[in-house]
């Protein structure tokens, strides 16, 4: 009888260990201030701090995985990580492939930046990171789109004269403009439904845990405080 009881206890321990499986957070690591790789080779930025706090509140053990932006959704769907937290705007097109948490930033402005004033952003050549809401918007305006795999390359296209302007999240462009490399031109462009975490449609329970954690940070004001700390010009909830 004692052996049977011990076996039952061992099975319970094994079940507990299985439920404590590490959740892998996928990010790009190349889109500051949302996410980037620091001098120690670690994921850093607004979403690193946010993701770690969400995992703590959801009582989940988490680890970080980096992936190139252009394949970030396909590699979520193939199981290389369990969720995406990478400055991804919530759009109807993406909802066809993944499920989103509630947004953890409100819709914020995108902006054009160029080397000088007077650039024709509607009829010129505009650089943008591939597979973003900004790239889609450039196509809608009728400008010539130059797509690049990452944000840095899209900025470099402007400084090298390959493109007339770049369109990106204003928060991401602000440090570049602050350094004097580029200047903002034209009007801000409101795009998307805010930024959220993306999940496989087969993982509703995991999404619900992060949804609850995001809501708790909205409720106690800590999410707004984090937005103000990291995203200078972004609206808060």
């Amino acid at each position: 009888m004692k052996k049977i009881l011990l076996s039952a206890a061992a099975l319970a321990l094994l079940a507990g260990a299985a439920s404590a499986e590490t959740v892998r957070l996928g990010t790009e690591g190349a889109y500051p201030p949302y996410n980037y790789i620091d001098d120690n080779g670690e994921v850093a930025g607004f979403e690193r701090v946010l993701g770690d706090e969400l995992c703590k509140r959801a009582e989940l053990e988490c680890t970080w995985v980096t992936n190139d932006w252009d394949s970030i959704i396909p590699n979520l769907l193939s199981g290389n990580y369990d969720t995406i937290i990478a400055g991804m705007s919530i759009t109807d097109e993406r909802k066809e492939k993944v499920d989103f948490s509630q947004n953890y930033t409100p819709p914020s402005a995108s902006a054009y930046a160029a080397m000088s004033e007077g650039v024709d952003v509607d009829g010129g050549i505009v650089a943008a990171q591939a597979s973003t809401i900004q790239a889609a918007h450039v196509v809608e305006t009728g400008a010539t789109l130059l797509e690049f795999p990452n944000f840095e390359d899209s900025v470099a296209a402007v400084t090298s004269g390959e493109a007339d302007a770049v369109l990106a999240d204003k928060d991401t462009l602000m440090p570049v403009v602050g350094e004097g490399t580029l200047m903002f031109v034209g009007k801000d462009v409101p795009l998307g439904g805010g930024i959220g975490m993306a999940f496989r449609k087969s993982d509703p329970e995991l999404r619900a845990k992060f949804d609850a954690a995001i809501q708790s940070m909205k409720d106690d004001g800590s999410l707004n405080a984090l937005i103000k700390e990291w995203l200078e010009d972004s609206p808060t909830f």
Side-chain angles (χ1 to χ4, degrees), residues 11-94:
L11 287 171
L13 286 172
L14 287 172
S19 66
E21 184 178 354
T22 300
V23 174
R24 299 159 298 168
L25 308 180
T27 196
E28 182 186 12
Y31 204 63
Y34 292 93
N35 58 81
Y36 59 92
I37 304 301
D38 65 16
D39 293 339
N40 297 317
E42 297 291 331
V43 174
F46 167 71
E47 285 165 325
R48 174 61 193 260
V49 179
L50 173 64
D52 286 349
E53 178 62 21
L54 293 175
C55 287
K56 179 180 177 181
R57 293 186 182 219
E59 298 182 344
L60 295 169
E61 188 74 28
C62 295
T63 188
W64 289 86
V65 179
T66 57
N67 193 96
D68 290 342
W69 176 259
D70 60 0
S71 61
I72 202 164
I73 287 180
N75 279 327
L76 168 69
L77 300 179
S78 64
N80 289 357
Y81 30 84
D82 304 301
T83 181
I84 295 171
I85 176 168
M88 181 172 285
S89 295
I90 300 168
T91 67
D92 290 339
E93 182 181 3
R94 289 173 179 151

Side-chain angles (χ1 to χ4, degrees), residues 163-237:
D164 298 313
V166 57
L167 180 64
D169 286 310
K170 190 171 185 179
D171 291 317
T172 306
L173 282 170
M174 286 186 73
V176 179
V177 172
E179 292 169 358
T181 307
L182 300 177
M183 64 173 61
F184 288 120
V185 295
K187 296 181 179 180
D188 290 351
V189 184
L191 297 173
I195 294 171
M197 299 177 71
F199 300 84
R200 290 182 289 272
K201 291 182 178 292
S202 58
D203 287 338
E205 292 182 2
L206 183 62
R207 178 176 55 80
K209 290 179 180 179
F210 279 104
D211 247 341
I214 293 169
Q215 187 61 53
S216 74
M217 291 188 70
K218 288 181 177 179
D219 292 342
D220 66 17
S222 58
L223 185 52
N224 277 345
L226 202 60
I227 291 170
K228 289 177 181 178
E229 178 184 352
W230 283 93
L231 310 175
E232 295 180 36
D233 204 42
S234 180
T236 54
F237 292 101

Side-chain angles (χ1 to χ4, degrees), residues 83-161:
T83 181
I84 295 171
I85 176 168
M88 181 172 285
S89 295
I90 300 168
T91 67
D92 290 339
E93 182 181 3
R94 289 173 179 151
K95 284 181 180 179
E96 294 177 3
K97 299 177 181 178
V98 298
D99 282 342
F100 281 98
S101 67
Q102 62 176 296
N103 60 356
Y104 55 79
T105 71
S108 58
S110 296
Y112 291 97
M115 296 290 289
S116 61
E117 297 178 356
V119 172
D120 181 7
V121 297
D122 293 325
I125 301 172
V126 179
Q129 186 170 2
S131 303
T132 62
I133 54 175
Q134 289 84 13
H137 179 75
V138 172
V139 173
E140 292 174 0
T141 66
T144 299
L145 170 66
L146 286 185
E147 288 187 292
F148 295 89
N150 57 59
F151 169 71
E152 289 184 356
D153 287 349
S154 65
V155 170
V158 181
T159 58
S160 69

